[in-house]
Structure formats: structure tokens, C-alpha cells
Amino acid sequence: GEDVEQSLFLSVREGDSSVINCTYTDSSSTYLYWYKQEPGAGLQLLTYIFSNMDMKQDQRLTVLLNKKDKHLSLRIADTQTGDSAIYFCAERTQNNAGNMLTFGGGTRLMVKP
Amino acid sequence: DAMVIQNPRYQVTQFGKPVTLSCSQTLNHNVMYWYQQKSSQAPKLLFHYYDKDFNNEADTPDNFQSRRPNTSFCFLDIRSPGLGDAAMYLCATSPRDRGREQYFGPGTRLTVT
């Protein structure tokens, strides 16, 4: 079955880099995503990576995918206090009913000034 | 500019009193999803519509129903809310054929008193 796991917490100082890790089990995943959720808000898509890529960079965000180990990471460079939020990784699986996401439990990122 | 709209943002209902949450989209997407998210947990898919086809997750309680009268609107009905149904309810959409991601609304936080 599908299972996506993340560590619960990460604390960094402002200006440092943050690395949030995720492991998944479904080798047929086509896309993997990172979503950000601020308190009391919905999920905001940050970035995604197609499964045939091993890296994607988007401004301060770098996504690394190790498909062999089924490991995904999100690196945030120059972390700011506004980056404090919960980060969810998700894998996409597809069936006849459409585009399904399986979410990890979320990593709470705390950025200290 | 709002693409996925949820109303109301905050809803208080009494134990056992039926409540309806609404979602609308301006994206003309085929697929609409309802998720339940309890505090500090991952979103859990309740059901989704592929056009008019309703797809219920196996572990979604019978207490939860949904309606999709047209492409733009989707409703979540909780027939007899219990205290355990207090959560954030997230609506999301995706296009069928080229959908890489799901677009989330801001959520409705439901309190049951």
C-alpha cells in the first residue's frame, strides 16, 4: 500500500538552510509534491517534481529525488521567519477515478530569529 | 482571482445538527475532492467527484455525504455531527487529463459544540 512518512519537527535559525525529508513507498508515483500550510489556512503548492527527474530548483527551493531509495527532500535556502509552517510531501498515484494524492503527516518548520 | 472558494471559513454547529459546507471553483476542473484534516495531521481524503461520478473512500463514515449539482459547486453534508468531526475541511480540484496538481481552497474550520 501507499505510505508517506516525514519527521514531525524541524527548527532552524533565520538565514540558515532547512532540509525537510520524506520517504514514500509507491514506486509507481509519477509526481511528488511539496505543499505548505500556514496556521488556519489551506494547502499551498510550493513545487513538484516528475519522477524521472532527480533535482528541481525554483528560487530558494531545491527538491531532490532519490527514486532508488524512494526519498524526497525539500531544501529552503536562506530560511526566513515567514517560512514557518507545516510542510507536507505528497505522492501522486493515478487510477481511473483521477489524480489521487497521498500525503505525509507533515513537518512543522520553526524558524527562530 | 480566487480559484477555489470555500464558505464559510468558520462554521460552528451543535452536536447532531446537520451542517453543509460549500466549495466552488472557477477553474472548470473535472475533479473535486473533499478532505478532512484534524489538528497536526495529514489531510485525509473523504471522497471525490470525477465529473458527476461519485467516489467514496472505503473508510469514510456514512455520516458524510456529498453533492455536486454542477461543475462549479460541490457540497459536503454532515448529517449528524459528532465531537470527533471537528476538523478543517479542505476542498480541492484538479483537471482530468493534464492534472499534475490539486488546487486547494482555504478550508472551512468546523467546530462542534
Side-chain angles (χ1 to χ4, degrees):
Chain A
E2 304 150 356
D3 198 12
V4 181
E5 295 191 353
Q6 304 176 234
S7 53
L8 286 178
F9 296 103
L10 177 65
S11 179
V12 300
R13 292 211 172 273
E14 192 173 20
D16 288 349
S17 291
S18 309
V19 179
I20 303 171
N21 294 301
C22 173
T23 57
Y24 61 98
T25 57
D26 187 355
S27 57
S28 67
S29 297
T30 52
Y31 288 92
L32 295 129
Y33 305 86
W34 285 103
Y35 283 87
K36 176 183 180 183
Q37 187 177 36
E38 298 187 36
L43 273 67
Q44 174 196 353
L45 179 67
L46 285 179
T47 187
Y48 64 88
I49 188 166
F50 187 50
S51 57
N52 70 353
M53 299 169 64
D54 50 24
M55 188 183 93
K56 181 179 180 181
Q57 186 151 5
D58 184 0
Q59 299 182 336
R60 291 191 298 125
L61 305 178
T62 304
V63 179
L64 295 178
L65 175 60
N66 181 329
K67 200 171 179 184
K68 174 175 167 290
D69 294 339
K70 300 191 186 72
H71 182 265
L72 181 74
S73 68
L74 174 69
R75 179 177 180 269
I76 306 173
D78 187 25
T79 314
Q80 303 297 307
T81 54
D83 295 324
S84 294
I86 301 176
Y87 290 80
F88 290 95
C89 69
E91 60 175 349
R92 178 201 192 201
T93 55
Q94 195 166 21
N95 57 32
N96 290 336
N99 174 16
M100 311 307 298
L101 292 181
T102 300
F103 287 90
T107 299
R108 184 179 294 275
L109 175 64
M110 293 180 55
V111 183
K112 299 177 184 176
Chain B
D1 270 337
M3 295 185 292
V4 183
I5 303 159
Q6 291 189 244
N7 285 308
R9 294 293 312 278
Y10 301 91
Q11 175 75 57
V12 180
T13 191
Q14 292 176 330
F15 183 94
K17 184 174 180 183
V19 65
T20 294
L21 309 182
S22 74
C23 177
S24 62
Q25 53 135 338
T26 60
L27 299 162
N28 205 34
H29 284 170
N30 300 92
V31 194
M32 294 186 77
Y33 310 79
W34 278 105
Y35 290 87
Q36 179 193 64
Q37 186 183 26
K38 296 193 176 181
S39 183
S40 302
Q41 295 183 21
K44 176 181 177 301
L45 183 65
L46 294 172
F47 26 60
H48 70 281
Y49 274 94
Y50 186 122
D51 293 323
K52 285 193 172 294
D53 293 333
F54 177 71
N55 298 272
N56 200 34
E57 293 301 296
D59 56 355
T60 297
D62 292 339
N63 199 23
F64 291 84
Q65 304 284 317
S66 186
R67 296 171 283 136
R68 189 179 185 186
N70 53 52
T71 302
S72 301
F73 285 87
C74 195
F75 300 98
L76 169 61
D77 301 308
I78 309 177
R79 292 191 298 189
S80 182
L83 297 179
D85 297 327
M88 174 79 93
Y89 289 87
L90 297 165
C91 173
T93 73
S94 72
R96 172 200 164 185
D97 294 322
R98 56 183 174 79
R100 288 190 295 261
E101 60 254 33
Q102 293 182 12
Y103 297 80
F104 281 82
T108 294
R109 181 164 295 284
L110 178 68
T111 300
V112 181
T113 61

